Amino acid sequence: MTQKQKFEVIKVIGDIEIRRYLPYVAADVLVEADYEKAGNAGFRPLANYIFSNNISMTAPVIVEKKDKAWQVSFVMPDGSKKENLPNPSGDVKLRAESEEVCAVIRFSGITNKNRIAKFEAKLKKYLADNQIESLGNIRVARFDPPWKPGFMRYNEIVQVVSGMKIR
């Protein structure tokens, strides 16, 4: 079974979860393309990095808008330290992140621009209604391989937030 990024659920309100993500290391690649092409283009060099270095595959694959490009990321297995991972080559970069508090909305199906916008709007409305500040861009977290039928896919929109009391 594929390992998933570690988090703790702090609060559940309807379709929205507030989560605390534990510190993690991600392998990233920047792709200058539209969303639909960026995920596939970024997947290849990231998969090559993890498979050629015998690193376990994890879920989700995360896609986030960065200026005029999309950052496609794999979270390294739980407990990974940036300094202990093999140095990537080419366009792949490693990044260490500290703990984050995020608001998350889950959805099934494909992740095209219209569906992402629909669930992003719902999440942003919840945050605005509850006076929770968003930090940075949303992340699209895709948990299933591209060959899985669209209606069976599981996805999330993730937004880093501020102003949440933990515990």
Side-chain angles (χ1 to χ4, degrees):
M1 177 154 222
T2 303
Q3 185 184 101
K4 294 185 180 160
Q5 185 178 8
K6 301 289 184 192
F7 62 86
E8 172 189 352
V9 176
I10 299 169
K11 189 176 186 180
V12 178
I13 306 97
D15 296 343
I16 311 294
E17 285 187 353
I18 305 300
R19 298 176 181 169
R20 180 176 61 171
Y21 284 91
L22 302 177
Y24 64 95
V25 176
D28 305 321
V29 100
L30 283 176
V31 179
E32 290 189 27
D34 65 5
Y35 173 80
E36 281 76 12
K37 293 179 183 171
N40 289 335
F43 184 89
R44 287 183 197 97
L46 292 170
N48 184 51
Y49 170 70
I50 66 167
F51 295 137
S52 65
N53 288 293
N54 204 26
I55 299 170
S56 298
M57 181 71 175
T58 63
V61 173
I62 300 168
V63 183
E64 179 179 354
K65 185 73 172 157
K66 296 286 187 178
D67 297 319
K68 295 181 180 183
W70 290 94
Q71 177 178 277
V72 183
S73 308
F74 284 0
V75 174
M76 297 294 98
D78 187 43
S80 295
K81 302 286 184 218
K82 184 177 174 183
E83 59 273 10
N84 296 337
L85 290 166
N87 288 326
S89 60
D91 295 332
V92 177
K93 307 289 183 235
L94 293 177
R95 153 179 69 90
E97 287 292 338
S98 55
E99 182 176 283
E100 299 174 313
V101 176
C102 300
V104 178
I105 189 166
R106 298 169 290 196
F107 66 102
S108 61
I110 59 171
T111 56
N112 62 30
K113 288 180 185 177
N114 291 337
R115 289 189 50 79
I116 291 167
K118 172 185 170 183
F119 289 99
E120 178 183 7
K122 187 173 183 179
L123 183 61
K124 295 281 188 177
K125 180 176 181 346
Y126 165 80
L127 296 174
D129 290 349
N130 289 277
Q131 299 168 343
I132 300 170
E133 181 185 2
S134 298
L135 301 174
N137 296 321
I138 62 132
R139 301 172 186 161
V140 180
R142 302 182 315 186
F143 288 80
D144 296 303
W147 57 84
K148 191 169 193 176
F151 69 93
M152 295 176 68
R153 294 183 192 172
Y154 174 79
N155 312 289
E156 297 176 341
I157 301 293
V158 180
Q159 176 67 66
V160 178
V161 296
S162 175
M164 293 292 305
K165 292 181 182 177
I166 302 176
R167 295 182 200 248

